[in-house]
Amino acid sequence: MLLPKLITTLRDGYTRQRFATDVTAGVIVGIVALPLAIAFGIASGATPEAGLVTGIIGGFVISALGGSRVQIGGPTGAFVVIVAGVIQQYGMDGLLLATMMAGLILIGLGVAKLGAAIKFIPYPVTTGFTTGIALIIFSSQMKDFLGLQMTAVPPEFVAKWLAYLNNVTSINPWAIAVSLGALAILTLWPRVSLRVPSPFVALVVSTVVVYAGHLPVETIGDRFGTIHASLPAPHFPSVSWDVLRGLVSPAFTIALLAAIESLLSAVVSDGMIGTRHRSNMELVATGVANIASPLFGGIPVTGAIARTATNVKNGGRTPVAGLVHAGTLLLITLFFGRLVAHIPMAALAAILVVVSYNMSEWRRFRGELRAPKSDVAVLLVTFLLTVLVDLAVAVQVGMVLAAFLFMKRMSEVTNVSLISGTFADADESTDHNAVAMRQVPAGVDVYEIDGPFFFGAAESFKSAVSSVAKKPRVLVIRLRRVPSIDSTGLAALRDVVARSRREGSLVILSEVHSQPMVALTNSGFYEEVGEANVTGNLDDALDRARTYLGLPTAERPAFVVASVARESAHGERRRTPRL
């Protein structure tokens, strides 16, 4: 249902007490978001203002239109790598355009009701690129954490660390002291108070110490100049066809990351407060936010798990808290924005080091290494490509590799067997539907497909049928254990029917379930096979084979007659397609 949760919560009765707790939570989250927005803006290769604008505009839109009661939107670490790469290659206008394209993609996904499908992205893929992003963020902060005197830092992972080693003699002891001090506050302050966020305390203390002590540590103002304490006017980025074509892949990667992180955050918050979010509405809201944010110079925005959890823990229960969070960021920017210039870069680096550590989930990554070898392969390939090549390439290759492994597993799960002749049904002594309980005429082969008949099993089926040296006059294909079939499975059946006809053989389909029957009918294959050759049970299929061969029908045992009566009733229902 495409209805924002804000409307639902206000319509269901919004009390003054609820408003008070939402305001308190929103203010606290706004204070938490301040250092993170600045840090992510700088780490992405943009500006502090870009991070703040993203938290204000994007956070407001996601709370106003989103499908979660407590989601907090803003810039996150997941985007740092892809954003930095797009800015380096296409400039800031290229990033703004790619973000807006990603917003349109997200809206399309939400309108098409694909919110639930996003959750089925393989876990090794998401774990691999998330841990890879965390490692890249950590690596990118070493220059400021150590105060290295370097003119430029190479974007490549290996080259970056080689450059650090080559400039290790330029370490600034004062910067290291500020970094370690901020790190100590980030680690120890939660033991003192959970109401006042540790990143904010680390930022304030570090700024005061550096400013009051006139310490030789680089600040935001030293690197970026004057900070504009206002919202910029809306601006549409310049567009050219060549740039648009190059931005398609980054736009899809941004959209995918935004969808995954936003829905993951919504699922986590659902577990914390016992509600259910509207995934499609959440995608639409995130899409609108990623169109609105770039108009004001912002970077990509999505649901932020840590800030959403902070919102819940401080009493936020409706989207009003998210709106207050955006308003708090706006007020801080307008009234204290110029003070941002005095924040030391070393303190921001310490904050991002902690963010990267929490983001890495290294224990979960280590646990995944004990998973099946195919999953480990997907995990490591995605991780290494994220770190050494490019995030967009890593996601694409990881998804394709996971799809191929899925096909392989499907071919292994779905079994195709010749169950007349030398092979027999399992449990044939107790199964009244077993072929062994019937008299199969000479010249008739019965095959059974056991499992979903998808693309992964189609080739196995064709190989099994082709491997029989002496071609049968009648081929019966039992589909009683096939709950579903796709177009590749249909193509394999059609191929076998066509080849059998060329060889003078008849193909009979037996015990077809409802979904495969609908697929047969819609594709026109049902008419190609012929109604007489699609039967409701095995005995009807064998009688059809005897009729074709000019043989008399066999007498059925009493227990089979009763069983067939039941099967026939079900078969008639199955043969009626649900269109």
Side-chain angles (χ1 to χ4, degrees):
M1 180 170 57
L2 295 178
L3 179 68
K5 278 286 188 176
L6 177 62
I7 295 177
T8 303
T9 53
L10 294 180
R11 188 176 57 192
D12 291 346
Y14 192 70
T15 63
R16 183 177 299 179
Q17 182 180 5
R18 172 58 60 208
F19 176 71
T21 55
D22 281 342
V23 168
T24 302
V27 171
I28 293 174
V29 176
I31 295 172
V32 171
L34 175 67
L36 295 177
I38 295 170
F40 288 137
I42 294 174
S44 299
T47 62
E49 294 98 327
L52 290 170
V53 165
T54 305
I56 295 168
I57 303 297
F60 183 88
V61 172
I62 284 180
S63 293
L65 302 179
S68 169
R69 297 175 66 97
V70 293
Q71 183 84 284
I72 301 295
T76 67
F79 291 121
V80 167
V81 178
I82 188 69
V83 168
V86 173
I87 292 177
Q88 184 179 13
Q89 187 171 359
Y90 298 99
M92 193 63 190
D93 268 9
L95 171 67
L96 302 181
L97 195 56
T99 305
M100 297 175 77
M101 292 167 63
L104 293 174
I105 294 170
L106 286 164
I107 293 174
L109 292 174
V111 172
K113 299 185 178 179
L114 294 175
I118 299 294
K119 301 172 187 176
F120 296 112
I121 292 176
Y123 189 71
V125 175
T126 57
T127 303
F129 73 66
T130 300
T131 306
I133 290 170
L135 180 57
I136 292 175
I137 293 174
F138 174 82
S139 301
S140 68
Q141 297 308 304
M142 287 301 98
K143 174 182 179 293
D144 294 329
F145 192 91
L146 302 175
L148 297 174
Q149 304 301 309
M150 301 170 59
T151 54
V153 179
E156 296 81 11
F157 179 79
V158 176
K160 185 185 275 95
W161 281 99
L162 290 175
Y164 290 157
L165 291 175
N166 291 333
N167 290 273
V168 70
T169 55
S170 65
I171 286 177
N172 182 350
W174 292 108
I176 294 179
V178 172
S179 299
L180 293 177
L183 207 58
I185 294 173
L186 291 166
T187 305
L188 300 176
W189 181 259
R191 302 179 184 179
V192 178
S193 172
L194 294 176
R195 300 289 290 180
V196 182
S198 59
F200 182 76
V201 176
L203 213 62
V204 171
V205 172
S206 301
T207 302
V208 170
V209 169
V210 170
Y211 183 77
H214 303 287
L215 302 182
V217 176
E218 186 181 25
T219 64
I220 291 178
D222 295 332
R223 184 174 298 182
F224 296 97
T226 304
I227 303 300
H228 301 287
S230 62
L231 280 179
H235 162 72
F236 196 87
S238 59
V239 180
S240 72
W241 176 245
D242 289 337
V243 172
L244 274 176
R245 286 189 302 176
L247 291 173
V248 170
S249 178
F252 270 99
T253 305
I254 291 172
L256 183 62
L257 289 176
I260 292 172
E261 188 151 6
S262 184
L263 295 182
L264 178 60
S265 176
V267 168
V268 171
S269 64
D270 283 350
M272 297 176 72
I273 63 176
T275 61
R276 294 189 65 182
H277 70 283
R278 296 167 184 154
S279 56
N280 296 314
M281 190 68 243
E282 192 64 28
L283 289 180
V284 171
T286 306
V288 175
N290 277 287
I291 293 174
S293 175
L295 288 175
F296 294 87
I299 58 178
V301 56
T302 186
I305 297 177
R307 274 158 276 175
T308 299
T310 302
N311 180 35
V312 172
K313 291 176 181 177
N314 285 279
R317 289 298 180 273
T318 76
V320 172
L323 300 178
V324 173
H325 138 266
T328 302
L329 265 182
L330 176 62
L331 292 176
I332 293 175
T333 300
L334 294 177
F335 291 100
F336 303 100
R338 296 188 183 279
L339 298 178
V340 169
H342 300 295
I343 296 175
M345 297 298 300
L348 288 178
I351 292 173
L352 287 176
V353 164
V354 173
V355 168
S356 65
Y357 176 81
N358 293 331
M359 184 180 180
S360 69
E361 296 185 327
W362 61 270
R363 292 183 181 85
R364 184 175 295 179
F365 184 91
R366 185 180 63 184
E368 279 294 296
L369 295 176
R370 295 190 291 271
K373 292 181 180 179
S374 58
D375 289 334
V376 174
V378 174
L379 174 75
L380 294 179
V381 167
T382 308
F383 170 75
L384 292 174
L385 286 176
T386 301
V387 174
L388 300 177
V389 182
D390 180 72
L391 178 60
V393 173
V395 173
Q396 293 165 12
V397 173
M399 289 295 293
V400 170
L401 183 58
F404 275 118
L405 291 172
F406 172 75
M407 285 189 283
K408 181 176 181 296
R409 286 171 180 166
M410 286 303 302
S411 65
E412 294 170 349
V413 167
T414 303
N415 182 43
V416 181
S417 329
L418 175 63
I419 57 174
S420 60
T422 57
F423 295 94
D425 288 11
D427 301 324
E428 60 181 21
S429 60
T430 58
D431 185 3
H432 290 173
N433 291 315
V435 172
M437 298 290 186
R438 272 77 174 171
Q439 295 177 2
V440 179
V444 177
D445 279 352
V446 181
Y447 279 84
E448 178 150 15
I449 303 173
D450 188 355
F453 196 24
F454 292 154
F455 50 84
E459 197 59 38
S460 300
F461 168 70
K462 290 196 290 185
S463 298
V465 174
S466 302
S467 64
V468 179
K470 186 177 179 181
K471 301 303 178 185
R473 293 187 61 191
V474 178
L475 178 64
V476 177
I477 302 174
R478 301 190 75 182
L479 300 173
R480 60 174 177 161
R481 295 193 178 106
V482 177
S484 56
I485 188 171
D486 71 353
S487 59
T488 309
L490 282 173
L493 283 176
R494 183 177 270 116
D495 185 42
V496 168
V497 169
R499 188 169 57 197
S500 297
R501 283 176 177 171
R502 288 195 301 268
E503 296 170 350
S505 299
L506 174 69
V507 176
I508 302 172
L509 304 181
S510 173
E511 301 146 285
V512 185
H513 285 281
S514 57
Q515 190 278 338
M517 182 63 77
V518 170
L520 291 174
T521 305
N522 289 343
S523 66
F525 186 46
Y526 184 85
E527 288 76 11
E528 291 179 30
V529 177
E531 182 178 356
N533 298 321
V534 181
T535 63
N537 56 69
L538 178 60
D539 295 279
D540 287 344
L542 293 177
D543 282 345
R544 167 62 181 148
R546 292 186 185 96
T547 301
Y548 177 78
L549 296 173
L551 301 174
T553 57
E555 184 178 348
R556 307 180 187 183
F559 69 85
V560 173
V561 171
S563 175
V564 169
R566 291 192 297 270
E567 286 293 313
S568 296
H570 290 299
E572 287 301 320
R573 287 195 289 271
R574 281 198 296 267
R575 281 200 285 171
T576 304
R578 298 179 185 176
L579 301 177

